[in-house]
Amino acid sequence: MPSSIRPGDELAGRYRLEDLLDERDGGRFFRAWDRILARHVTVHVISADDPRAPALHEAARLSVGVQDPHVLRVLDVDERDGICFVVNEWGTGRSLDIILADEGPLSPRRAAWLVSEVAASLALAHDNGVTHGRLVPENVLVDLNGQVRLIGLAVDAAMHGLPAGRVSADLTDLAGNLYAALTGRWAGVSGSALPPAHLDGQRVLRPRRVRAGIPRELDHLCDDLLNGTSHRGEHTPTTAAELHEALRDFVGDGAGMADREAELAAAAPIQRPAPPAPPAQTTGERWQPGVPPVVSSTPPVDEEPTVAVPTTPHEPDPEPRTQVSPAVPADDNAPSDPTDVPTQAGMPVFHDDADDVGWVSRNPEKAPKPPPPPAFEEPAPRPLFAPVPEDGRPVRTPRPGSAAARREEHQPWDASQPGRIGTGTGAGSGSGVVPAYTDDEVPGRSWLRLAMVVGAVVLLLFAVAFAFDLGNGRGIVLGEDESPSGPDTSATGPVRALTGLSAEDFDPQGSPPREENPDTVGHVVDGDPSTTWTTLTYEENFGPGGLKSGVGVVLDLGEVRAPREVSVSLPEAGETSLSLYLTNESPTGIRGLSPIGSQTGSGTVDVTLDGQDRGRYLTVWLTSIPQTDDGRYRGEIAEIRVRA
């Protein structure tokens, strides 16, 4: 019988079915329009003789007893014409599975806040003796106001034939929603369309082994609730209320989280269904779902024009749109026929003091003419020849730009002694004879000064470099085997194997850092090749496509040394790529560091260095690790030997 119910049909003379949202095992789920209250609702429909019908009635009755604004309520339940149906509120927003598909895994704080809201509503329902029964990400909705809403409380489980009262299933599904929000994979007991979580044997892979940067608290919560483990000193929540408290403690002050979700919902492409148009009164035809209502192209007087949004995507407009030109001031003398209007041609005028663009008038004869440019100023007169002195000897004019010419600007001709050059005394005591180029600068003197400045700069740079090398423990190399203080023992002295080294695991991209099997990292310097240190097991290899760029081991050499050879014992099966870094301080990451050596291979890998780099901490960084028999990846080091 439900298979004969289709969009366009009407139930109980009130609910007009619009869109078929889901169909499973003889049951159907519709979006409908309540014609009496003029609102959208959802309707679950099954046959009245279906074995699930009594459970569906009971689930609807129990769901009404949960008074929580975060639950989409049951509005009606009835059985007519062999059809059993339940009517629920309609919520507009995005479900958790859609959010994960659009944005990927959420940030830890956002994921914890969202699941804590679900846990609070579920705790209230459990207190009233009601369970959800099928709490999958598809039933967790974030509406347009940023509020978390629950879809299908008790009703959805009854539609799927699941028994009621499964509190443990709700708690596991809560942890599954937290796991999904952190990793994008589903680990609950109910069926979801999200990809399933990875397994390590019979255990769900911990979130921190799937995605880097997940805090320890959330990792332990998922591990405890999904795998049944118990971390020492930590309490495992046994109810939805306890899980809500644990997540609320992690989130802290959640003020503003709902507002942020509302902003994200407003930016997301959420389809908001428009109310259906009333049936046409003239044709008598039945309303067809998916067909947009016909709207008159002429709006009523004194009303804003209404734009009709078609419900069918990519449907062409009923009539072509007209592109409206910008408004132009009215002209009483303008001709009625637009073809008679002359074309306004010209060139754009760009103003320096404004951002707008003007145009040259279409009638240049009537346009105002620009003012004429200012007249050129006449240059000051200069004498072609200097005055002739009284003794008749020639006076040579100084070369323009020379020192004599510049000095002459400040020592003009002496008016009291015609024919003589003033000397600044005002009495005309000069000799009256200016020797040729006597007061000019010596040719080449400017280049000599420039060379002296360049030489001083070179000496200064040499001194700075010498001081920098001395500060790093190195001198300026004077020859093959000599320096200002004798032979350089760091580079040419005796080379020996270092002993008494200490090792520490190095995982700066983990959360928290430095947790990569720290209990066995000392095996790499214990001198026993039979004992090894291994990394964690990863689903993907390191590199640009993996979760991390690598992990490694930091060796403390005891003091500043110049390593000449590093030997790393690796497993024979599969190749391992590694890089070496040398620092004076214990590193906190590899970003910004330059490797002093790299190598790829299996078995014993030797990296030879030039001995010019000095430091106390040697980092062996694994950038690619071999694949194990089960298809995953794990690195291993048996021994690291350093010669310096």
Side-chain angles (χ1 to χ4, degrees), residues 132-478:
H132 191 287
R134 192 172 177 271
L135 190 62
V136 292
E138 291 86 340
N139 285 331
V140 177
L141 180 76
V142 180
D143 64 13
L144 299 181
N145 297 321
Q147 300 295 326
V148 180
R149 312 290 296 275
L150 290 186
I151 302 174
L153 178 65
V155 174
D156 193 45
M159 282 290 295
H160 284 76
L162 299 175
R166 300 189 306 158
V167 178
S168 60
D170 280 355
L171 188 61
T172 305
D173 283 346
L174 268 177
N177 279 276
L178 179 60
Y179 191 96
L182 294 172
T183 65
R185 294 183 172 272
W186 175 244
V189 295
S190 302
S192 173
L194 288 180
H198 295 295
L199 298 179
D200 185 3
Q202 299 297 324
R203 296 169 56 86
V204 176
L205 207 62
R206 291 168 52 186
R208 290 180 60 208
R209 298 182 62 185
V210 178
R211 177 190 174 198
I214 296 179
R216 184 190 302 271
E217 297 89 331
L218 301 184
D219 182 77
H220 287 180
L221 277 176
C222 293
D223 193 26
D224 293 347
L225 294 174
L226 297 176
N227 294 322
T229 59
S230 179
H231 290 80
R232 185 172 56 187
E234 298 182 8
H235 173 67
T236 301
T238 57
T239 63
E242 291 182 355
L243 181 58
H244 166 68
E245 293 294 332
L247 294 176
R248 188 181 63 178
D249 293 342
F250 175 82
V251 173
D253 186 7
M257 299 293 290
D259 296 336
R260 176 56 180 164
E261 290 294 333
E263 294 175 1
L264 295 175
I270 301 176
Q271 183 178 3
R272 301 168 178 82
Q281 299 296 330
T282 57
T283 61
E285 298 180 356
R286 193 180 72 173
W287 173 82
Q288 298 180 2
V291 179
V294 180
V295 181
S296 175
S297 59
T298 304
V301 182
D302 297 334
E303 292 185 5
E304 293 291 335
T306 303
V307 180
V309 181
T311 58
T312 304
H314 308 293
E315 182 174 351
D317 294 333
E319 56 187 33
R321 300 177 182 177
T322 304
Q323 183 176 2
V324 182
S325 303
V328 180
D331 187 2
D332 297 336
N333 299 324
S336 58
D337 188 2
T339 58
D340 297 337
V341 180
T343 303
Q344 182 173 350
M347 296 180 62
V349 179
F350 299 93
H351 302 283
D352 295 334
D353 55 349
D355 294 334
D356 56 344
V357 179
W359 291 85
V360 176
S361 174
R362 65 185 179 187
N363 191 354
E365 297 180 357
K366 296 183 180 181
K369 297 181 179 180
F376 292 102
E377 298 181 358
E378 294 293 338
R382 298 184 60 184
L384 296 178
F385 303 97
V388 180
E390 296 178 356
D391 53 9
R393 289 180 295 180
V395 177
R396 188 178 298 273
T397 304
R399 184 175 55 185
S402 64
R406 291 194 299 269
R407 185 165 58 251
E408 188 174 324
E409 294 178 0
H410 300 282
Q411 298 178 356
W413 303 103
D414 189 2
S416 62
Q417 299 289 336
R420 296 188 180 273
I421 299 178
T423 60
T425 62
S429 58
S431 63
V433 179
V434 180
Y437 303 105
T438 301
D439 296 326
D440 291 350
E441 295 180 351
V442 178
R445 181 175 295 173
S446 299
W447 291 103
L448 180 60
R449 292 175 179 173
L450 180 60
M452 294 175 63
V453 172
V454 172
V457 172
V458 171
L459 290 176
L460 179 60
L461 293 177
F462 186 84
V464 171
F466 184 81
F468 180 80
D469 287 338
L470 288 180
N472 287 341
R474 296 182 296 187
I476 303 299
V477 178
L478 301 179

Side-chain angles (χ1 to χ4, degrees), residues 622-635:
L622 305 182
T623 58
S624 178
I625 54 180
Q627 192 172 16
T628 59
D629 295 336
D630 58 357
R632 294 182 291 176
Y633 297 85
R634 182 174 62 247

